[in-house]
Amino acid sequence: MNANKTDMPADWIDPDDAPELDDQFFERADEFAGSQLVRRGRPTIASPKRTLTVRYDAEVIEAFKATGKGWQTRMNDALKDWLKTHSPA
């Protein structure tokens, strides 16, 4: 044996040692209706929100943050309300 090589542990994993397919496995498995994959989770919406990088004055951000959790949603609602009475152009 070569003295320069270190002994490596023999971690044999039997390829026939597959986990049991229990009810939990099938609850998480993909579901097909014929050849069509049935999507799970939240359904897609007609007008999803978009990610945007924007800069506001610190006082504006602090005022909305001071109202607590959900401040970004309230900021979005305030901008939508402003659009009802103003033209962005």
Side-chain angles (χ1 to χ4, degrees), residues 16-59:
D16 291 330
D17 192 19
E20 290 291 325
L21 301 182
D22 55 4
D23 290 338
Q24 186 181 19
F25 171 82
F26 287 104
E27 287 174 8
R28 292 189 327 251
D30 291 335
E31 183 178 342
F32 286 86
S35 63
Q36 180 69 32
L37 175 64
V38 176
R39 295 285 177 191
R40 294 196 229 182
R42 203 175 269 185
T44 57
I45 57 176
S47 59
K49 292 185 178 182
R50 296 179 10 192
T51 303
L52 175 70
T53 301
V54 63
R55 295 168 57 106
Y56 293 107
D57 290 335
E59 62 194 45

Side-chain angles (χ1 to χ4, degrees), residues 1-8:
M1 179 174 247
N2 190 342
N4 292 332
K5 291 187 178 181
T6 59
D7 291 336
M8 296 190 62

